[in-house]
Amino acid sequence: MRRQLFFILSILNLLTVPVFGQDITLYQQFNGHVNYTAIGNTLNQFENGLDRSFCEILPSSEAELSLSGTSHIIAAYLYWAGSGAGDLEVSINDLPVTAQEVYNVEYNDPSNGLLTYFSCFSDITNIVTSLGSTTYTLSNLDISETLTTISGYCNNRTNFAGWSIYVIYEEDTLPINQISLFQGLEIINAVVQEKTIIIDNINVIDDDGAKIGFLAWEGDSGLSFGETLQINGNLISNPPLNPDDNAFNGTNSFTNSNTFYNGDLDVYDIQDNISVGDTSVEIKLTTGEDIGGGVIRADLIILNNIITVLNSQSPDATITIDNSFTPCYSRIVDLDYTVFNLNSNEILPEDTPIAFYANDILIGQSTTQDEIPVDGSESGNISLTIPSDIPNDFTLTLVVDDIGDGSGIVIELNETNNNTQEHLQLTPLPEIIELDPILNCDIGFNTAIYDLTSQLDLIDFDDINTISFFESLDDLMSDINVILNPEFYHNITDPQTIFIKHENDDCSAIYQFNLITENCPPHIPQGFSPNNDTYNDWFNIQGLYDIFEAHELHIYNRYGTLIFVGDNSKRWEGKANRGLNYKNVLLPVGTYFYVLNLNDNNYKIMTGWVYLNR
């Protein structure tokens, strides 16, 4: 590139030259027996810095993709770039491709004004998978209007266009690798002469065979002023194609070509530039050199993507939901899941944490129980209670290697495939149908025996096996503590609510009714015989004791004298407890009179006679 950009340093310090771009960040990671290759070509006729006779670009160019018959294509990405704001629609082998991402950088050239450069990206996996190994031709990339209307590109010889296809493929004979693809658009030039890029989300377990690749634009073989590429502070090169003082010089490492004009598709071995245990790589690009007298000469370099291939020895935890069950009207989800360790070459340790989220809110945690070997799995089960503030319609997310805050404790081959989701719908509690209460006579202490099945006459059902009785709504919802003998049910409170569940094709219908114990009129005998024959030995008023617990019983002799006062704890056994005569001894045979005050507003004082016999 022949851009003779001469700057006086004192003037340069006063200039404000904005440069815009998109930081290069992780786009995708691939793990397993994987590798990558790249093809591409320039649309420049010649290197634009060495030949100033052209401005326009070629209508098309081609490149050959050759993969072995045992390779399986996982992904293929098309990049195209050039001068201007961008052409978002191109063709590959006459098939239309539209940009999914568009990146732009700007350079304010002191002589030619603000100039914009672009790169577009599109996932063309379906195209490359269909066509396979063949010749690929890119066409319909048109920047003619940009080059015609903005003379600055041709004036400073930054008129360029080119393209590349990255192919990630799988092959059983390959070692287990981790491929990390980073992309964006960043620029260096005479004004911004240095760029440091930190790429993370990598895990260096073994540096054997490690490599790093780049796609860059606008580099010139004729401009090598201060141009370096450094990895972790080490100068890297690939001579004679890529010398250490001219890394971006229109070359293609995959074809060993130096005619990829104003583009660089290069790959470097970096096993001596990284260390086992590294989780990030520092990449530093420089350009620009003071050639004397305060004059700076530099290349303009636009970095489009970075790709790393590292041999990995780590587990890869993934998780699936096998089955989820939510009982009707319940906020409890019973979950079966499986944790896998596939596409890995190291065991997944025991106690690997698992987090469970409902609409991104942590609702449960668990761990793996044992070590999971390579290509192994472990099944688990958990019951999750969904908080009341989570709607009935929600997304359940399971994340393995997550301590509950989104962070993990296990270094994995792939840190982006640890979760799975399922959309769940809880069934809300329906309107409960109220049935008439059952009233029964108190048999003591406000209890009675009830036939709960008598309420079934009010319910439309076909099969008695679909009917269940419960003492609480919680028991019904959890389907526990079913009343086993509803025909002879002894109430435990007064009143008491009983619930009926009628199971149907959807969720069950629910009914409720009250059991009410009432005090029925007592039955008063007209005689008794306290002779210790164990039969009728006391004045046994049926339906009185432990029912009318506050009652008072007065017994009088034929002269009207009070001889006995009883209550719920004192029964008349034919003896007097009032007066001096016959106290605590059996009274004479004869007729006696009673006054029974039930102390119940529903009943008047009862009076009558009783005959005491021997």
Side-chain angles (χ1 to χ4, degrees), residues 507-576:
C507 276
S508 309
I510 300 178
Y511 303 84
Q512 71 176 32
F513 60 93
N514 284 332
L515 304 179
I516 298 176
T517 301
E518 60 179 353
N519 293 339
C520 296
H523 174 71
I524 303 176
Q526 290 188 326
F528 72 103
S529 55
N531 55 11
N532 292 324
D533 63 357
T534 71
Y535 175 75
N536 203 24
D537 278 338
W538 60 286
F539 186 28
N540 186 6
I541 302 175
Q542 300 294 318
L544 174 64
Y545 293 95
D546 296 333
I547 297 171
F548 295 92
E549 298 173 63
H551 77 267
E552 296 177 11
L553 176 64
H554 290 186
I555 303 296
Y556 297 87
N557 62 19
R558 60 180 178 171
Y559 303 111
T561 302
L562 179 66
I563 61 170
F564 180 82
V565 176
D567 56 26
N568 197 59
S569 62
K570 297 177 183 178
R571 304 175 181 184
W572 189 36
E573 298 177 346
K575 298 178 182 180

Side-chain angles (χ1 to χ4, degrees), residues 15 419 580:
L15 293 177
N419 68 297
L580 298 177

Side-chain angles (χ1 to χ4, degrees), residues 442-512:
D442 190 351
I443 61 172
F445 300 113
N446 300 314
T447 63
I449 302 297
Y450 296 87
D451 180 5
L452 306 183
T453 63
S454 64
Q455 295 291 73
L456 298 183
D457 294 337
L458 306 175
I459 299 175
D460 183 16
F461 69 97
D462 296 324
D463 184 357
I464 190 63
N465 294 316
T466 64
I467 299 294
S468 302
F469 295 86
F470 298 88
E471 292 178 336
S472 73
L473 187 58
D474 286 343
D475 285 352
L476 182 149
M477 293 172 62
S478 302
D479 200 28
I480 59 174
N481 301 323
V482 178
I483 297 174
L484 299 178
N485 191 6
E487 292 89 348
F488 299 95
Y489 180 74
H490 196 292
N491 66 303
I492 54 178
T493 62
D494 181 39
Q496 179 180 350
T497 303
I498 296 295
F499 297 87
I500 301 176
K501 179 169 70 172
H502 174 209
E503 299 177 10
N504 49 43
D505 292 338
D506 299 318
C507 276
S508 309
I510 300 178
Y511 303 84
Q512 71 176 32

Side-chain angles (χ1 to χ4, degrees), residues 3 5 7 16-20 105-117 150-156 158 187 189 191 300:
R3 279 187 312 280
L5 304 178
F7 298 93
T16 300
V17 184
V19 179
F20 302 94
V105 290
E106 294 179 345
Y107 168 55
N108 198 347
D109 187 318
S111 301
N112 296 285
L114 188 66
L115 299 175
T116 301
Y117 308 91
I150 304 176
S151 60
Y153 293 107
C154 293
N155 289 341
N156 73 357
T158 59
I187 190 171
N189 49 57
V191 177
L300 187 148

Side-chain angles (χ1 to χ4, degrees), residues 2 65 109 136 202 220 225 234 239 251 376 396 411 428 455 457 503 517 520 537 576 598 612:
R2 250 185 102 194
L65 175 64
D109 187 318
Y136 287 84
I202 64 172
D220 289 85
F225 299 99
N234 301 316
T251 57
L396 180 67
I411 297 176
Q455 295 291 73
D457 294 337
E503 299 177 10
T517 301
C520 296
D537 278 338
L598 299 176
L612 187 153

